[in-house]
Amino acid sequence: MIACVAVVGHQNNPLYLQSFTGADDALKLHHIVHCSLDVIDERVNNPKRSVITLNESYLGLLYPTESYKVYGYLSNTKVKFLVVTTDLDVKDTDIRSFFRRFHAAYVDAVSNPFHVPGKKIISRIFAARVSGIVKAFAPGTYG
Amino acid sequence: MANYLAQFQAIKNTSDRLVVAVEDVSDLWPSVKEGLEKRLPLKKASLNNKTRNPVYVENLQAEFILTTDSRLRSRFPQEQYLFWFREPYATIVLVSCEDLDEFKTILKPRLKLIVQNEEREWFIVFVSKAHPNNDQATKNAKKVYARLEVDFNTRKRERCCKLDLNGVDASFWEDFDFKIVESIRNTLDRRAQFYEEEIRKMSEQRLMPVWNFCNFFILKESLAFMFEMAHLHEDSLREYDELELCYIETVSTPGKQRDFGGLEHGDDQAALLKPGFKPLSQIVQDDSFREFEFRQYLFARQVKLLFRLGRPLEVVMRGYSFIISFSKTLALHENTLPFCLREVWVISACLAIISSTSSTYDGLAAPDNEKEFYRLHGDLYSLCRIKFMRLAYLIGYGVEIEKSPVNSASLSMLPWPKPSIWPAVPEDASAKVLAKEKLILQANPRMKHFNIQRKQLPLEPSSLLREANRRRASLSVGNLSELIDYRQIDGSGIDGHQKFSPSTTNSMSRTYSGPNLESSLSLDRPMRISEVHVAAEHALENTVTDPDLLKSLSSLEEFEQKYMELTKGAADNYHHSWWKRHGVALDGEIAALCFKHGNYDLAAKSYEKVCALYAGEGWQDLLAEVLPNLAECQKILNDQAGYLSSCVRLLSLEDGLFLAKERQAFQLEVVRLAHSEMKHPVPLDVSSLITFSGNPGPPLQLCDGDPGTLPVTVWSGFPDDITLESLSLTLTNTLNTDEGVKTIKSSDAHILKPGRNVIKLDVPPQKPGSYVLGVLTGQIGNLRFRSHNFSKGGPQDNDDFMSYEKPTRPVLKVLKPRTLVDISAAVSSALLMNELQWLGLIVKPIDYSLKGSLLSIDTGPGLMIDESHTIDINEYAKTMEDKVHAHDSNTITENNTHPLEPKQLYIENGKIALPDWASDTSTTLWFPVHAIDDRMARAASADSPHRQNMVDGMRTIALKLEFGAFRNQIFERTIAVHFTDPFYVTTRVANKCNDGTLLLQATIHSQVKATLCLYDAWLDLQAGFVHVRKENGRPVSSFFPLVISPSSTAGILFSICIDNMAIADQNEVVQAESILNVMYGISGDRSNGAHSPTSLKLGSSDKLFFKVAIALQRPILDPCIAVGFVPFSSNCLRVGQLINMKWRVERLKDLEASPSSSCKDEVLYEVDANPEIWMIAGRTMGHALLSNARGSRTEITVTCMPLVSGHVRPPQLGLPAMDDANISCNPPGPHLVCVLPPTLSSSYCIPA
């Protein structure tokens, strides 16, 4: 299950964070996403260390812990997309396609002329679309 | 083969180095032993690794063992085959012989027997005991050795070397070393090949039922062990890696139910670094090993090799991933394992890896590796910490664990342990239950500062109470409904307790009644949370064997100490790595504990770090969680500046993060502190809380030197109104940065409303340029705040820390000095002299308001303002319009479009205050003025029209306009106004009649731009002239009224005659000049020029009176001398041509009659010439001889040169000594001569 999706700006500032746990505990997800930036930073700053070449946007599994996983995706403009999932058995291709759709939704949202670049995304349409992507992702994983 | 496991283990333990067998044929060992053993360990050995590539091994350990030694003798062939790795890798045959025959007959066959075993690697050391002085012995030994070489050396390989006991040759040892290494290498290669072959064969059977992992293991490990003995650790490690892979594959094969292990005492402590923790024979199970022990064993072997290879980083890397993967494996078997064994194992494993590697890492590796190393250590600490917290939570310390995002993220997503049956409450545990309840009760959740109430973050994945009860085998389904109720109190031990508290007394009484009842009770009803804790604690005590861990869980203090140690360990290591955020987040946890223990100083420092991180990257949600804690620390530490700053930061967080009530509390604190007795004013940056911008729209424009009022929009992020004692803003000139910044202040206190406020600031006069807003500063009590933040016109936004840019939009433009107003005369044509006239002034503001301006008027000499009259003012444009419509009207049409506009002004002390309506429009001011000229106008002769000098009619008026908001702008100008008489008069005698009547023509030239109307004119004649027929001096009266259009002329004829009688009255005061009196009227428009003064004085007669003096000259009555101008000899004069001017002077009368003449024979003459026209050569004045006799004549000649061409008046000869009346001139009046331009000449230039 996807616990949380987040968009983080190129200065590591949160642009969008949505929790899907249902509980009132988004703060811990804020923490997880924020700490995951360490891993992205490390990969971006030490390209030779990273397994995945940086030519690709998809950063792969960032953060395997016992209880959850964080996947990352980095756009050309250094906007980071993160997904926290509590499902420990996720196919890489599923996550990849998820990120592509997520990225597309983000691009549409920030193309809004009323959106101020670098500011939080407050578009309800974006939120609805992301929720839709997340919902669509879940059955694919289990099915 | 599995039976050999124990033996295999024993062999491994005893043999740790390569064995070299010594076949002591000639009993030489005691004498050579010392020398040989000195060569060990072998300094440098070139061996082949598994892939047959040469590897240089240093200090290769080996041991010499005599073949007669029991260790080599007692082995069965089967054993030898199995444990080949321990067999000698080389055989040294020691021989000595000095007799050739003996060698041939005895030694050689024996040696042949020894070396016939092909599998052995051998070489012969021939020991010569011969003394060097003993030539015979030496010779014999040489012979024998030579024979030995022939017999045993082959072409491919030399197998003999010679050792002289007396005097060892250095080359021998090299040879010896080489031969040993060569033998070892060959043996190693052969054995490795053998093992590989065997392993390959066995691998092929892996899927067959006969497959036995133990056998495979023995072979594989033998190979690994052999490599290890040969110091080929890399190869050894690879063998173990392969072994591990193979094992995992084996155990994961479905179908076979295997024992996992981990149930023995002490299994809770990881054996990651102790390969010999348990003998392999104990963990063998069927054809394989128990996973729990065996995987740890394999890992321990790997770690040992890695340490030998000097790779602690790899130890940590492999260690961490091993722990994670093994933890997962443990989770799969959790229902068979002791309660929480998984957690306990992970804790000990992490600590073991940390302690083994932290000392070995020398820090000499690449910085990248170092960071990675620290990161992994941090991960290990962190993992250990999480598991430790989980254990602590289970036994009831959860209430004391900070419910922070860090802990929540770690714990709330980590599933509970899943034992098959949740541990039950031990018997006689009532006292412990009571203690736990007490602990829960006493632990009051720390109220956050500012009364911030938040739902606490969960530390448990699901309710522990529910989970524990669900996993109790005995609990019936019926109780679930009860449990659902408890679910609502998830994560809150206290509430849970309170829910159950009514039943506490019951359970207590029953607890005392007996164990049977207790057990039945535990079956009947769900456990209470305190009971769950007690049960968990009891179960853990059984699981944990590590006394340190037990101690750490024994009390809250011990727990917190260990917790602190682990947290610090994790944070410190993360700080040394790339993962700074992890480190800082954990600092927050350290701070929380420090705070709890009253160590506020440390807590504040750590919290500051955390806040700085979150604030720097804009993670406001997280910041909002930590910042109140920091504020509280600062408050306790009495760090007022810090506390204030924290409060302000709290206020500047996003709106949704705190309730309005809480935000008001922050503000109250700020205000309270600001007005408290702080010793020093505290400077504070409130950029995120108070932002400002100029007003939208164009910037305020000020003229140079003008003060102004600048409206500034200030956004207040305070939830309530806040009073600012002072407020100032800096202005920066964008064009000229050298000037620095100017501060403008708002004088009075302001109350900022939440949101948008417009504040007006007074701007003193600034230098020209364009100004942008700089910094906002102000004061609230003792709080001096600054804000650098510009809001962009929208609501305050805190996210723009990254789009921070100075707006270039100027708010103020001070224009370069320019003309702001212009005052000019409304009329350029002349006004009437000596009459009251309207003087018009056009006051024209040039894009500048003249509101409140004051006009000072200072008239020059000969001009005065008639202050008895009001001053008219009207719009200039309208004046022009009026002029179009009423061009022929004498009065100005009043336009009533501005009924309230005052049209009449008064002058006071020479100053006029301009009305407000006139501040932005061009206006015309009309002053009544009176120019005075005492001189009487004179008529000129028609022949020499001499116009009135313009300067005479010029009057000046000095104007000074003070205007601008503070009358700071001054405009000064002096305006010249031209006054003139209404006309000038020229006269000439039109005709001389035969009867002596002279017709005097007076031509009246109008000098004004107005129509003159002559009503009457009469001439008062001077003495010597009288009007014909004694009339009253008027011309024919029917002429009048005579209208003269502007700039035109009119003529009047007077008939006069010479009065011969008048001469007789010598004594009478005679009128020297005739006066022409004119009664006239004028009809003009003041906007055009001269006009009737009657428009000023209503009701007075509109007839004006004007006098002109006319000089009449009586004809020459008694000519004595005649002067005649002699015509030029040439027809024309040219410029630059010298000519002689001649006058002929003739005496008409004898001079006796005039006795006044002193010089009888001469006459004084003077040549009068315009110097601009004529250049006179020679004297212009002199005496010419002229006798007194009548008829005497003379000629006066003057040489002169004309300078200009045209018709000019020639020089005139005057006779100053004679009365004009006695001179008769020819020609009688002024005459003109024609001067031609000069002839063209290239050599002659006319001066410009």
Side-chain angles (χ1 to χ4, degrees), chain B residues 824-833 837-842 863 883 926 929 931 950 953-955 975-982 1006-1011 1046-1047 1082-1092:
Chain B
S824 55
V827 177
S828 57
S829 62
L831 299 177
L832 282 184
M833 186 72 89
Q837 291 280 286
W838 288 113
L839 168 63
L841 288 179
I842 301 168
L863 185 72
K883 227 158 82 176
W926 295 105
V929 291
M950 290 286 280
M954 209 60 92
R955 296 290 182 270
I975 288 177
V977 192
H978 189 210
F979 288 88
T980 182
D981 294 329
S1006 166
Q1007 293 198 96
V1008 293
K1009 263 179 138 180
T1011 311
S1047 307
I1082 184 165
S1083 64
D1085 188 344
R1086 67 181 179 186
S1087 57
N1088 277 336
H1091 52 272
S1092 166

Side-chain angles (χ1 to χ4, degrees), chain B residues 125-146:
Chain B
V125 176
F126 182 82
V127 181
S128 167
K129 296 175 190 168
H131 199 271
N133 299 337
N134 190 342
D135 285 353
Q136 187 57 42
T138 314
K139 205 178 278 177
N140 287 341
K142 272 189 181 171
K143 271 184 190 168
V144 173
Y145 181 65

Side-chain angles (χ1 to χ4, degrees), chain B residues 958-979:
Chain B
L959 299 167
K960 182 180 173 191
L961 184 69
E962 292 167 84
F963 61 104
F966 298 92
R967 288 192 183 147
N968 53 307
Q969 302 276 6
I970 287 172
F971 176 83
E972 280 180 303
R973 174 166 285 185
T974 302
I975 288 177
V977 192
H978 189 210
F979 288 88

